Amino acid sequence: MASISIRNLVKRYGNFTVIPDLNLEIADHEFVVFVGPSGCGKSTLLRIIAGLEPISSGDLYIGDKRVNGVRAAQRDIAMVFQDYALYPHMRVYDNMSFALELRGTPKAEIDARVKRAAALLHIEPYLDRKPKELSGGQRQRVAMGRAIVRNPKAFLFDEPLSNLDAKLRGQVRAEIKALSQELKTTMVFVTHDQIEAMTMADRIVVLQSGTILQYDTPETVYERPANQFVAGFIGSPAMNFFPVEWRDERAILSQGATAVPLDGETAGRLRQPGNAVLGIRPEHFAVVTDADGIAINVKLVEPLGSDTLLHFDLANVSAIARVDPSLRPKIGDRLSLRPQPGKTHLFDAANGQVLR
Ligand SMILES: Nc1ncnc2c1ncn2[C@@H]1O[C@H](COP(=O)(O)OP(=O)(O)OP(=O)(O)O)[C@@H](O)[C@H]1O
Ligand SMILES: [Mg+2]
């Protein structure tokens, strides 16, 4: 069990700076998820914590111990990779016990630990099989079992579920979450999957070009994104963005001069800079019948079962609204939409920072 503390971390590959200056505090027992676009440095950061990658400058602490020069094997941290990397010629049991045998752990204790991990992960029936005789989800659980038996201070997961189909992903996701609550071990998890990030994390780190743009609970990152990048990255389908300005005592979408009904608080925030970027999530449009809405033409309809996505063009922006399927909208329908009060976001048009 351990906290992880990263201070003024810089990581360069030759002349290329992947991480310019990063500070991050992960509490003991915390489940932290890293998200961000491909190439932003998620795996690099994980490999640095694991000790598989040297630091260019800065400090890394695990618990209260500075571990900059400490080798991976001595850090007591388990990393589970995307491809699991099981030993193909070894039985599941041996895959799990191998590291303990190398350490010279007594046979009886190894056996107890393997059996306990196998029970926790529901893989007892497969202990005598080889990895190739297992499904993807079972292999993934063996990889986790191999990590668990070592009783590490922290687990690092680099997109461990990306090879699984949707149903299995959901299942293993729930298992990892339950496991983290049972083991009470610090977990750092990298994913591209929005649902994984939102459902598993105590806190989410949103990274862009090796820089943390926001580090907060899933609710806060979703409800109060710190900037336009985070707002567009978290949530699916993504938030709609419209350039907007305050003109003649009204909010006007800059392209197309459509008036947009904003609640008084949001209007007040827009009034000061005079122009900004208005963010509205697809789920935060209400379909209205009064004249107060924004008239749109339905361009495309995507029924998802639980909701329906409407695509439309507004002020030169291709936008999406998520509506109730009972509306049964059709292509070409003319509808009136209004942003739900208190659910809109305003960003500085120049630097993308949220306007509060
Ligand atoms: N050994 C290396 N030498 C040089 N550059 C590297 C090396 N490893 C990674 N990089 C670069 O560092 C940047 C960050 O890579 P990293 O693998 O951490 O990204 P990532 O966020 O994990 O991306 P993905 O989501 O695609 O897995 C990338 O631009 C990558 O090309
Ligand atoms: Mg990666």
Side-chain angles (χ1 to χ4, degrees), residues 42-44 158-159 190:
K42 304 179 294 295
S43 297
T44 302
D158 198 353
E159 306 199 44
V190 172

Side-chain angles (χ1 to χ4, degrees), residues 30-52:
E30 195 169 23
F31 198 127
V32 169
V33 173
F34 292 174
V35 299
S38 186
C40 71
K42 304 179 294 295
S43 297
T44 302
L45 198 49
L46 220 53
R47 292 170 55 80
I48 285 172
I49 297 171
L52 302 171

Side-chain angles (χ1 to χ4, degrees), residues 296-301 310-312 329-335:
I296 60 108
N297 281 313
V298 176
K299 197 171 69 174
L300 184 72
V301 178
L310 299 183
H311 294 242
F312 57 95
K330 294 185 298 299
I331 293 174
D333 279 359
R334 204 165 164 73
L335 291 176

Side-chain angles (χ1 to χ4, degrees), residues 294-337:
I294 306 166
I296 60 108
N297 281 313
V298 176
K299 197 171 69 174
L300 184 72
V301 178
E302 287 183 285
L304 302 180
S306 54
D307 324 90
T308 295
L309 300 182
L310 299 183
H311 294 242
F312 57 95
D313 290 325
L314 177 60
N316 278 348
V317 173
S318 235
I320 298 181
R322 186 193 285 271
V323 302
D324 194 304
S326 67
L327 202 65
R328 303 218 175 280
K330 294 185 298 299
I331 293 174
D333 279 359
R334 204 165 164 73
L335 291 176
S336 190
L337 299 179

